[in-house]
Amino acid sequence: MGYGYDKKDIKDIADSLGSDSGYQLTGGFARIKNRGEVVENFKVENKLYFVCLLSDSGVSTKECFKAYDEDNYSGVLSNNDELISSLIKGDIKETAKNLNNALMAPAFKLNNEIKKNLEVLKSLNPLVVSMTGSGATVFSIYENEELSKWAYDKLKKQNYNVLLLSSENS
């Protein structure tokens, strides 16, 4: 039995919660533009393996962008065209080279735990380590499932709040 909502109603509600919340209803690989309402999906054949390390507290997106602007951070921006191209081609090492987040420095300033978590992940020799959005979660990408499971198990044994994820072939 339905509750009287159609998919558009639910997406509208999700969009009102956050910039890319509506996209999260469908998932898959996509380039998200504007405030999340412009979604350009693309196919990725290779499976990616992630270890995500969650912080105990978050970062306000508004405060992170404010700190970025006020402190004139320059940060390294991702070249999204090259990033998407490398994902589509299945070149994981090229993907790692093109994955950057210019909000890391202001997020570190607002929540030092994020920087500590990033360093912990780096110590486990992933292809790349980065941060989601404006923070709280850092993630690493590994070449294969075995390496990601090894890193996950190591962190879990040390009582970190950690997730082991993989992408679906889309």
Side-chain angles (χ1 to χ4, degrees):
M1 174 182 268
Y3 291 98
Y5 293 103
D6 65 19
K7 286 182 181 181
K8 184 181 177 344
D9 290 335
I10 293 170
K11 180 159 181 345
D12 289 345
I13 293 167
D15 285 341
S16 74
L17 297 174
S19 292
D20 58 2
S21 297
Y23 160 72
Q24 300 298 325
L25 295 171
T26 58
F29 286 88
R31 173 183 269 181
I32 311 296
K33 293 183 177 179
N34 297 341
R35 289 191 36 83
E37 71 276 11
V38 178
V39 178
E40 298 171 354
N41 291 2
F42 58 92
K43 298 234 182 257
V44 173
E45 298 301 324
N46 292 5
K47 202 170 196 178
L48 300 176
Y49 301 95
F50 303 91
V51 174
C52 301
L53 192 48
L54 289 67
S55 298
D56 291 332
S57 60
V59 172
S60 160
T61 299
K62 180 180 178 180
E63 291 302 314
C64 192
F65 275 97
K66 181 179 175 188
Y68 179 88
D69 291 338
E70 287 176 352
D71 295 341
N72 295 313
Y73 287 108
S74 57
V76 179
L77 298 174
S78 292
N79 180 325
N80 290 331
D81 291 332
E82 288 183 20
L83 178 62
I84 291 168
S85 176
S86 65
L87 281 165
I88 291 170
K89 287 189 278 187
D91 187 340
I92 187 68
K93 290 184 179 178
E94 191 66 25
T95 296
K97 286 182 197 173
N98 288 301
L99 188 61
N100 299 297
N101 187 332
L103 294 175
M104 282 200 283
F108 295 166
K109 177 182 174 184
L110 296 169
N111 183 344
N112 193 46
E113 183 185 8
I114 297 169
K115 185 174 185 176
K116 289 177 185 174
N117 286 346
L118 188 116
E119 295 302 322
V120 166
L121 282 179
K122 274 186 183 177
S123 74
L124 299 173
N125 299 314
L127 288 171
V128 67
V129 176
S130 193
M131 178 183 77
T132 61
S134 58
T137 300
V138 293
F139 66 93
S140 52
I141 301 176
Y142 289 87
E143 288 184 69
N144 58 52
E145 185 175 18
E146 292 75 25
L147 289 172
S148 66
K149 284 182 177 179
W150 168 82
Y152 171 81
D153 289 342
K154 195 165 178 86
L155 293 168
K156 202 67 174 162
K157 286 176 186 170
Q158 295 175 41
N159 294 315
Y160 281 100
N161 191 2
V162 63
L163 300 171
L164 178 64
L165 305 170
S166 65
S167 64
E168 292 295 319
N169 295 356
S170 58

